[in-house]
Amino acid sequence: MHPDVVMQMCVVCARTNPQAGIAIGPILFIVAILAVLASAIAAGSGSFTASSTSEAARANAAAMLDIGQNLKIGFDRLMGLETGYNSVVIGATNTVNAVDLFSPSGGGVNPPSTKVAKSGSSWTYPYANITNLGGAGCTATTSKRVAVIAVTDATMCTQLNTYLGNGATPAVADVGNPTTIAEATCLTIPAGLAGKMAGCYQSNTASYTGFYFYQVLGVR
């Protein structure tokens, strides 16, 4: 065959080679995927924010429950050491004596953190009246000792009750000031949390409006 004919055939083959241009397919596919992702992010940014808020509430609620359980373990340890129920001393500066919850020779636990609680709030340890849990009222023989603190908001309060299987968060008008630590002042836990060793409720009293978590430390 004439050399010129062979050359022309080779040129035609090169132009019609089916492999030419294959690389453009994956590139176009990637561009399309990126466009879809950008659209989804732009349209659903609100849902991502909501998800982050929910995750934060779950994490903070879990941390709060751990703190409550740790306090109870310390109180139980004091009972195991035959410390008198009404002789237990609970205070961040009481860390030396065998009757102190936060003493190595006493309850053996550290003062609890407030980082996952409402800003500016602190733990208090009043006696409480809880229906269907121990005796009634706040007398020397029937009182329940509790740890209580304000939590950030309704979302966290709901998550705490969800973890605890308590049902809906009760809202009450007057159950007593949860920041009072005097033994003579009784904190009444709402009836919606009757029999519950831990829970969260909403207080609508003007002087201490907010959401409060409590953990029972001891029952009489």
Side-chain angles (χ1 to χ4, degrees), residues 57-220:
R58 282 192 284 269
N60 289 339
M64 183 70 75
L65 293 176
D66 284 343
I67 292 171
Q69 282 298 301
N70 191 51
L71 290 170
K72 187 178 185 310
I73 288 171
F75 196 93
D76 288 345
R77 182 170 186 260
L78 284 169
M79 296 298 95
L81 294 173
E82 299 184 355
T83 302
Y85 185 86
N86 293 324
S87 298
V88 176
V89 177
I90 308 178
T93 60
N94 303 108
T95 60
V96 177
N97 299 317
V99 296
D100 297 339
L101 180 64
F102 304 131
S103 167
S105 61
V109 298
N110 294 322
S113 171
T114 60
K115 289 187 179 297
V116 295
K118 183 178 179 180
S119 178
S121 61
S122 59
W123 287 92
T124 53
Y125 309 93
Y127 288 94
N129 178 22
I130 305 175
T131 304
N132 299 336
L133 189 63
C138 282
T139 69
T141 58
T142 65
S143 58
K144 275 73 65 176
R145 193 73 183 269
V146 300
V148 61
I149 194 169
V151 300
T152 53
D153 51 32
T155 301
M156 184 173 175
C157 203
T158 297
Q159 190 60 56
L160 283 162
N161 285 323
T162 297
Y163 279 147
L164 293 164
N166 290 347
T169 296
V172 290
D174 188 8
V175 292
N177 189 341
T179 63
T180 299
I181 60 174
E183 295 180 17
T185 304
C186 181
L187 174 63
T188 300
I189 300 300
L193 293 168
K196 303 297 184 181
M197 290 290 289
C200 190
Y201 64 90
Q202 179 182 8
S203 174
N204 294 324
T205 301
S207 58
Y208 40 91
T209 298
F211 297 88
Y212 295 88
F213 167 74
Y214 76 91
Q215 168 69 57
V216 174
L217 304 180
V219 179
R220 296 190 76 174

